[in-house]
Amino acid sequence: MKKKTVYETVLEKGFTRRDFLKMCTALSATLGLDFSQSDQLVAAMETKGRLPVIWLQFQDCTGCSESFIRSTHPKTESVLLDMISLEYSEVLSAASGHQAEAAMKQVLKDYEGEYVLAVEGSIPGDAGYLTVAGHDAKETFLEMAEGAKAIISYGSCASWGGIPAAYPNPTGAKPITSFVQNKPVILVPGCPPIAEVMTGVIAHLITFGQMPELDHLGRPKAFYRHRIHDKCNRRAYFDAGLFAESFDDEGAKQGYCLYKLGCKGPTTYNSCAEMRWNGGVSYPIQSGNPCIGCSENGFWDNGPFFVRRAKIPSSQTTINPDQVGLAAMAATAVGVAAHATATVIKKKSDDKRSEEE
Ligand code: SF4
Ligand code: F3S
């Protein structure tokens, strides 16, 4: 039987072509596509069937699913019901027990080599810690990974081990990449990840039929190419050497840089400062909380979180934040002096010209 296209599914649900194009526009913006690629996205949604997805959960808190169902661009109901065909999800499937298990086995047969496997949570390295329906987590993961077209590692637990791997890591928790080497894996780290990043990755797979461009760690470059620090709304204060010294001082009220309160934005790669959360409303730093680097490997053991770090680690500088302030003041003083000198020189030259005239 011919699979319905995404567009046909949208129309069937009572939406108009205008709604469909609005969804495509939002997706194009999320992916950062240019005009010609946007046309390609619309054409793909008009002609291609929905992407079959199996969503597994291992050692996690379900925060990634919670984040995903709050996606706003496009709305989750569109993503779940129109762009993908969610064949199995322990959180979102209506079926449960033997019925759900039977449905999952059927999907493996019907969509072999076609489905995308989304994984949330880390896998215990030591057998016996996580067993669902009598199957060990590692066994279930390997069985599902076998016929998958691609695997999306959703969240920091699946991508790096995450909170379950925190010292002393009682279950021997490991990232999913420790168990599978022969499949393309896209890492979407974050605790939780930004929902629109996941929808963007899915849209890319449908539109271009291939993996998005990844960085050296396996993260999609479209969403993980910048540090939080590069696009931070408090960056001007950092450059000016203006730092909040405590969470309730005048600097904090003025929105100064949170580096001295432990901000890890200079070493964290994620899209929070550009895409923001909850429909673009805000993100931790904008709300007054330093970035704890939740999308970076090992962040859970990289505390204490709200203590100033001695150096500013970045490719450009390793200087002390106080020196940033002094450097900024010095640069300002040099700038003022240069401006004053230039003004005097110009005035003298104007005076000379008037005398000659
Ligand atoms: Fe923003 Fe943190 Fe960088 Fe300050 S240190 S500019 S708060 S990312
Ligand atoms: Fe996480 Fe930092 Fe973003 S804590 S949510 S990567 S601002």
Side-chain angles (χ1 to χ4, degrees), residues 228 268 270 272 277 283-284 291-295:
I228 301 289
T268 302
N270 206 343
C272 309
W277 290 77
Y283 70 112
C291 170
I292 61 169
C294 79
S295 54

Short mmCIF file of all heavy atoms in Angstrom, two decimals, residues 228 268 270 272 277 283-284 291-295, ligand 2:
data_model
loop_
_atom_site.label_atom_id
_atom_site.label_comp_id
_atom_site.label_asym_id
_atom_site.label_seq_id
_atom_site.Cartn_x
_atom_site.Cartn_y
_atom_site.Cartn_z
N ILE A 228 27.87 28.88 23.61
CA ILE A 228 26.84 29.73 24.20
C ILE A 228 27.41 31.16 24.33
O ILE A 228 26.74 32.15 24.03
CB ILE A 228 26.46 29.22 25.62
CG1 ILE A 228 25.94 27.78 25.58
CG2 ILE A 228 25.45 30.16 26.28
CD1 ILE A 228 24.61 27.57 24.97
N THR A 268 30.86 25.70 26.22
CA THR A 268 29.70 24.86 25.93
C THR A 268 29.15 25.13 24.53
O THR A 268 28.84 26.28 24.19
CB THR A 268 28.59 25.13 26.98
OG1 THR A 268 29.12 24.86 28.27
CG2 THR A 268 27.37 24.26 26.74
N ASN A 270 26.16 24.72 22.07
CA ASN A 270 24.72 24.45 22.00
C ASN A 270 24.05 25.68 21.38
O ASN A 270 24.67 26.73 21.22
CB ASN A 270 24.16 24.18 23.40
CG ASN A 270 22.90 23.31 23.37
OD1 ASN A 270 22.27 23.16 22.33
ND2 ASN A 270 22.53 22.76 24.51
N CYS A 272 21.30 27.29 22.63
CA CYS A 272 20.38 27.95 23.57
C CYS A 272 20.32 29.46 23.37
O CYS A 272 19.25 30.06 23.41
CB CYS A 272 20.79 27.65 25.00
SG CYS A 272 21.02 25.91 25.31
N TRP A 277 14.47 28.80 24.60
CA TRP A 277 13.55 27.73 25.01
C TRP A 277 12.12 28.25 25.06
O TRP A 277 11.88 29.44 25.07
CB TRP A 277 13.95 27.21 26.39
CG TRP A 277 15.23 26.45 26.37
CD1 TRP A 277 16.50 26.96 26.29
CD2 TRP A 277 15.40 25.03 26.39
NE1 TRP A 277 17.41 25.96 26.26
CE2 TRP A 277 16.77 24.76 26.34
CE3 TRP A 277 14.50 23.96 26.47
CZ2 TRP A 277 17.29 23.47 26.35
CZ3 TRP A 277 15.00 22.68 26.50
CH2 TRP A 277 16.39 22.44 26.43
N TYR A 283 16.38 31.52 28.00
CA TYR A 283 17.27 30.38 28.24
C TYR A 283 17.97 30.64 29.57
O TYR A 283 17.83 31.74 30.13
CB TYR A 283 18.23 30.18 27.06
CG TYR A 283 19.30 31.22 26.89
CD1 TYR A 283 20.64 30.90 27.11
CD2 TYR A 283 18.99 32.52 26.52
CE1 TYR A 283 21.63 31.85 26.94
CE2 TYR A 283 19.98 33.48 26.36
CZ TYR A 283 21.30 33.13 26.58
OH TYR A 283 22.27 34.07 26.43
N PRO A 284 18.66 29.63 30.15
CA PRO A 284 19.14 29.79 31.52
C PRO A 284 19.83 31.13 31.80
O PRO A 284 19.49 31.81 32.78
CB PRO A 284 20.10 28.60 31.68
CG PRO A 284 19.50 27.54 30.81
CD PRO A 284 18.97 28.28 29.61
N CYS A 291 25.20 29.12 32.79
CA CYS A 291 25.16 27.87 32.03
C CYS A 291 25.98 26.84 32.79
O CYS A 291 27.11 27.14 33.21
CB CYS A 291 25.75 28.11 30.64
SG CYS A 291 26.01 26.59 29.70
N ILE A 292 25.43 25.62 32.99
CA ILE A 292 26.21 24.57 33.66
C ILE A 292 26.84 23.62 32.64
O ILE A 292 27.38 22.58 33.00
CB ILE A 292 25.37 23.79 34.70
CG1 ILE A 292 24.18 23.08 34.02
CG2 ILE A 292 24.90 24.70 35.82
CD1 ILE A 292 23.46 22.08 34.94
N GLY A 293 26.70 23.96 31.36
CA GLY A 293 27.33 23.14 30.31
C GLY A 293 26.64 21.81 30.11
O GLY A 293 27.29 20.80 29.84
N CYS A 294 25.29 21.82 30.19
CA CYS A 294 24.57 20.54 30.21
C CYS A 294 24.64 19.74 28.92
O CYS A 294 24.24 18.58 28.89
CB CYS A 294 23.11 20.75 30.62
SG CYS A 294 22.07 21.37 29.29
N SER A 295 25.14 20.33 27.85
CA SER A 295 25.26 19.56 26.60
C SER A 295 26.68 19.02 26.40
O SER A 295 26.96 18.40 25.38
CB SER A 295 24.86 20.43 25.40
OG SER A 295 25.61 21.63 25.41
FE1 F3S B 2 22.29 23.71 29.14
FE2 F3S B 2 23.84 25.86 29.18
FE3 F3S B 2 21.87 25.68 27.46
S1 F3S B 2 23.05 24.75 30.95
S2 F3S B 2 20.33 24.52 28.54
S3 F3S B 2 23.69 24.37 27.53
S4 F3S B 2 22.56 27.55 28.47
#
